[in-house]
Amino acid sequence: MELRFNKGVYDKEALLRASYSLANILTVKIDDAGDSWCAVITPSADVTVDTARDEFLIAANDEELRRTIRGRTEQLRMLILAHAYSRTKFSAPETPAQG
Amino acid sequence: MPILGQNSPLRKLQLRASFKNVDHYEKPGYGLLPFDFARLQGGKTLIVNPAGEFRTIPTESLQSVVEGTLPTSSEIYRDLESIQAISNDVQLAGELVSNKVAAKQESLREFTGLHIFVTTLRCDHTCQYCQVSRRNTGEGSYDMSKEHAEKALSWVFKSPRKVVKIEFQGGESMLNFTLIKWVVLRAKELNKEHGKTIAFVIATNLTPLDEDILSFAEAHDLHFSTSLDGPESLHNANRPRPGKNSYQKAKDGILRIQERLGRDRVSALMTTTQKSLSMPKEIVDEYLSLGLDGIFLRPLSPYGFAIKTKSFKKYDSREWLKFYQEGLDYVIELNRQGIPFYEYYAGLLLKKMLSNRGTHYVDLQNPSGTAIGAIVFNYNGKIYGSDEGRMLAEMENEELCLGHLDTDTYESVYSGEKLLSLLDISMQEGSPGCDQCAFRHWCGSDPAYHIAMQQDPVGHKTFSGFCSRNMGLMKIIIDKLENGDDFTKKLFRAWAWRR
């Protein structure tokens, strides 16, 4: 089964992440098809074509949304983690303290 | 400008044309903070912030949350604002989340608490699921020496943590009780200089328990942790020994310790085998009948004889989760009837989900608790970052061996490339499949499990039983918190804050 994903809407990373997360029920081959990504989906033996398509579309949309969230909050996320972990004394200071 | 009359048709037309629903005029006015999401059943989506606080929202609202078009007067807005997934003051909310994450990671600052001494690999049992590949009772070369125990003790006192636990494991640890006595006395002597709070725990099947051991345990405040798989027929089938009386020995030992030392001085752990799957209530009842205060409904781990005898492959995560849910429901029902009883696995997760604290449970740490949560000194002097690490070693896989007491120092192991690399790859934030998982905030990394199952410390989470089991369990708990009755919600909140 072949699905097309508009490049203006879907990033390749979202499609790759979707295929990784569904590796137990399907395999995907992704090719560049100009304005779109062409995803050739092969369901595993115990999964119907319809199920594989539906699951992949949902996963791709979710991954694209996660990409959006990550893109808009990445710097803040890194700051939160750096701030939190620096207080656990788990990480060493990057420069030696001046004595 | 002409003033239109109140009932003027033109005014009515203008009103209709000019005014829209009040939500339309609310500016988005909020920013996104980092959060993860996962779809749940029933059209709900789980939203979790980096500190593990969560809410569920209707799935159809997720897009508008992200687009910034959620009305700020809506209940969903208030819900998500309360866990700082969105806010009109992103900087302040970010600082708040950061403080919460730091509080949850308190165990990192405390560093290694659990020090496991494998006193011997000898054992009188021949359990089909034995994860440490025990040896026959006569094979004395599988005992820890005093020299290695002395060196291991020096590591205990180098831990920056003020409260430490020394746990004796086997084989059957008490088959080398001479060493246990020596370690306890020596630790107490050394501690005069260090002033730590030390708890001693003996992990044992209780078969060797006698008056001398009880007297020593009484005098030195030792605790016992034993195995109890359920009713007699199940326990004896899982845990064969000469005389076929493992259950009777465990039961007699538990009652004897309770009577002599107190009920809180002995706890028990069960392991789920294929035979256990149809008996969750009977197993819980067995624990109740022996006066134990709770149960840890644990699955089988993929190490040692559990792999050799194929016990591990006899049921999958789905079957275990069904067993777990039946057991948990029964425990809730007992509490509803006024019988206080605790399920430890749910309790651990609830602490992470509902309280502001983390847990010290090594299997659910991020980064992995390898060496920084627990450290294991094997009978032969080899050092492992977890009990599972030494279990792998008994399967001739030394990937998680961190060194040897004869050749390595505390400093060389804790700052060594092997441990740092293991901790590095166990950070969920950089782990494929975990990095954007909404459940990771309550979960952990288990390099040993994934090495055993997938020959890779990170593993492919889509195929991971560790992942499907924990995720399934968290979904059961969320469902009860969201859709359960008031009694269950209240009980779960109490478990989350239980000491």
Side-chain angles (χ1 to χ4, degrees):
Chain A
M1 175 189 33
E2 190 177 297
L3 291 173
R4 298 263 170 168
F5 292 89
N6 187 326
K7 282 185 180 176
V9 179
Y10 294 91
D11 191 89
K12 187 167 75 174
E13 185 196 348
L15 302 181
L16 290 172
R17 280 184 174 271
S19 52
Y20 185 85
S21 69
L22 295 172
N24 57 336
I25 61 166
L26 52 84
T27 54
V28 187
K29 180 175 173 289
I30 297 170
D31 286 322
D32 189 335
D35 292 341
S36 62
W37 300 109
C38 173
V40 180
I41 297 172
T42 309
S44 59
D46 51 347
V47 173
T48 66
V49 172
D50 286 351
T51 301
R53 182 198 58 219
D54 292 350
E55 292 288 330
F56 191 75
L57 286 173
I58 290 169
N61 286 339
D62 282 355
E63 293 299 344
E64 191 52 47
L65 206 52
R66 288 190 179 99
R67 244 178 51 79
T68 305
I69 297 167
R70 185 59 70 108
R72 286 172 56 187
T73 64
E74 181 67 0
Q75 287 189 335
L76 186 59
R77 192 177 74 91
M78 298 308 285
L79 195 61
I80 287 170
L81 292 178
H83 195 217
Y85 278 97
S86 66
R87 274 174 293 166
T88 62
K89 297 181 181 171
F90 190 59
S91 57
E94 288 188 1
T95 52
Q98 301 296 310
Chain B
M1 181 184 292
I3 299 171
L4 297 173
Q6 193 75 7
N7 297 317
S8 146
L10 184 55
R11 181 180 171 86
K12 284 181 180 171
L13 186 65
Q14 279 191 335
L15 281 172
R16 203 168 294 134
S18 308
F19 290 93
K20 295 180 178 170
N21 187 292
V22 68
D23 290 347
H24 178 81
Y25 294 96
E26 292 208 18
K27 291 178 182 173
Y30 66 86
L32 284 186
L33 280 97
F35 66 82
D36 294 299
F37 71 86
R39 287 170 186 258
L40 301 173
Q41 284 189 330
K44 291 278 190 170
T45 288
L46 175 71
I47 306 279
V48 191
N49 78 6
E53 295 171 314
F54 72 98
R55 294 287 183 271
T56 59
I57 63 169
T59 297
E60 66 265 21
S61 300
L62 181 61
Q63 191 79 36
S64 61
V65 170
V66 176
E67 285 172 351
T69 55
L70 191 69
T72 52
S73 58
S74 66
E75 196 177 334
I76 296 171
Y77 180 89
R78 285 195 298 276
D79 262 0
L80 296 183
E81 190 183 35
S82 72
I83 60 163
Q84 294 84 44
I86 56 180
S87 176
N88 58 10
D89 188 342
V90 167
Q91 188 179 340
L92 183 66
E95 284 177 25
L96 193 53
V97 175
S98 165
N99 284 333
K100 292 175 181 176
V101 176
K104 281 270 172 90
Q105 295 288 18
E106 183 69 13
S107 60
L108 282 180
R109 185 163 61 178
E110 293 174 341
F111 220 62
T112 317
L114 178 60
H115 298 77
I116 295 173
F117 287 56
V118 181
T119 58
T120 181
L121 213 53
R122 291 181 290 137
C123 190
D124 59 334
H125 279 60
T126 50
C127 305
Q128 55 179 319
Y129 57 61
C130 178
Q131 290 142 15
V132 298
S133 308
R134 80 276 153 169
R135 302 291 168 169
N136 293 330
T137 49
E139 298 182 71
S141 58
Y142 293 98
D143 286 1
M144 178 181 262
S145 68
K146 265 188 198 169
E147 290 71 27
H148 283 147
E150 173 83 37
K151 286 177 181 170
L153 274 174
S154 74
W155 286 52
V156 174
F157 289 105
K158 281 188 174 174
S159 172
R161 192 151 164 182
K162 293 297 285 180
V163 180
V164 294
K165 183 186 283 183
I166 294 178
E167 183 170 302
F168 302 104
Q169 286 204 13
E172 168 42 48
S173 65
M174 293 206 300
L175 290 178
N176 193 5
F177 195 72
T178 309
L179 186 79
I180 292 178
K181 276 169 85 171
W182 185 86
V183 169
V184 171
L185 296 174
R186 182 73 179 137
K188 289 196 165 186
E189 187 185 330
L190 292 169
N191 199 34
K192 286 176 187 164
E193 189 186 324
H194 297 276
K196 289 183 186 291
T197 301
I198 309 177
F200 297 99
V201 178
I202 303 177
T204 169
N205 60 38
L206 291 176
T207 304
L209 187 73
D210 60 17
E211 186 53 34
D212 285 348
I213 292 174
L214 273 173
S215 297
F216 186 80
E218 186 174 31
H220 295 281
D221 199 24
L222 307 191
H223 289 244
F224 294 86
S225 172
T226 194
S227 297
L228 182 68
D229 281 358
E232 185 165 11
S233 60
L234 175 64
H235 183 96
N236 283 344
N238 286 349
R239 303 178 62 79
R241 76 176 298 275
K244 297 178 182 172
N245 58 353
S246 177
Y247 169 84
Q248 200 59 46
K249 290 275 185 186
K251 181 181 172 181
D252 291 349
I254 289 169
L255 295 175
R256 215 169 152 191
I257 294 166
Q258 286 175 336
E259 190 180 333
R260 175 79 175 270
L261 309 179
R263 281 179 58 172
D264 62 331
R265 295 284 284 277
V266 61
S267 58
L269 282 172
M270 61 79 63
T271 300
T272 311
T273 60
Q274 188 187 29
K275 290 188 179 77
S276 319
L277 294 177
S278 61
M279 308 174 72
K281 289 183 183 177
E282 291 85 347
I283 294 168
V284 170
D285 282 340
E286 188 63 41
Y287 273 64
L288 262 180
S289 73
L290 289 175
L292 297 162
D293 68 348
I295 191 167
F296 195 148
L297 294 169
R298 289 192 317 166
L300 201 55
S301 297
Y303 310 103
F305 284 96
I307 292 290
K308 282 183 191 168
T309 62
K310 298 189 171 62
S311 303
F312 180 74
K313 291 196 170 173
K314 286 185 178 166
Y315 63 85
D316 59 21
S317 295
R318 196 176 41 81
E319 291 169 285
W320 183 80
L321 283 166
K322 181 173 177 292
F323 161 83
Y324 178 85
Q325 176 137 22
E326 285 176 26
L328 180 63
D329 285 342
Y330 184 52
V331 170
I332 293 169
E333 196 48 43
L334 288 171
N335 280 277
R336 199 192 306 279
Q337 290 168 17
I339 303 166
F341 200 71
Y342 183 66
E343 201 289 302
Y344 283 87
Y345 210 154
L348 282 166
L349 291 170
L350 284 162
K351 274 189 180 68
K352 288 178 161 240
M353 295 164 88
L354 298 181
S355 85
N356 61 351
R357 298 174 296 158
T359 74
H360 293 296
Y361 184 58
V362 178
D363 291 3
L364 297 178
Q365 299 293 336
N366 172 41
S368 141
T370 304
I372 59 173
I375 190 153
V376 181
F377 307 107
N378 209 3
Y379 68 95
N380 54 7
K382 287 188 176 177
I383 302 161
Y384 299 93
S386 65
D387 209 18
E388 290 76 12
R390 69 125 175 171
M391 292 170 185
L392 271 182
E394 299 303 340
M395 297 160 70
E396 297 173 359
N397 182 336
E398 291 283 3
E399 200 168 336
L400 295 181
C401 180
L402 300 175
H404 196 287
L405 285 166
D406 289 340
T407 51
D408 294 285
T409 64
Y410 183 90
E411 291 76 13
S412 71
V413 166
Y414 274 102
S415 58
E417 184 55 36
K418 188 155 191 182
L419 176 58
L420 295 181
S421 167
L422 264 173
L423 295 175
D424 189 15
I425 59 171
S426 75
M427 288 289 289
Q428 292 168 332
E429 284 74 10
S431 184
C434 291
D435 61 342
Q436 294 190 25
C437 174
F439 299 95
R440 74 188 157 101
H441 306 283
W442 314 312
C443 195
S445 299
D446 195 338
Y449 179 94
H450 291 104
I451 289 172
M453 297 308 295
Q454 298 185 20
Q455 292 76 51
D456 177 72
V458 175
H460 194 314
K461 299 303 189 303
T462 307
F463 300 99
S464 165
F466 175 86
C467 183
S468 58
R469 185 181 73 235
N470 282 313
M471 205 186 292
L473 210 157
M474 290 167 200
K475 285 179 180 172
I476 289 172
I477 291 175
I478 290 168
D479 181 56
K480 291 191 182 303
L481 285 169
E482 291 288 310
N483 307 314
D485 57 31
D486 288 345
F487 179 84
T488 303
K489 291 176 186 174
K490 197 174 164 189
L491 180 70
F492 276 17
R493 281 196 292 274
W495 283 3
W497 290 93
R498 187 180 191 262
R499 285 279 169 193

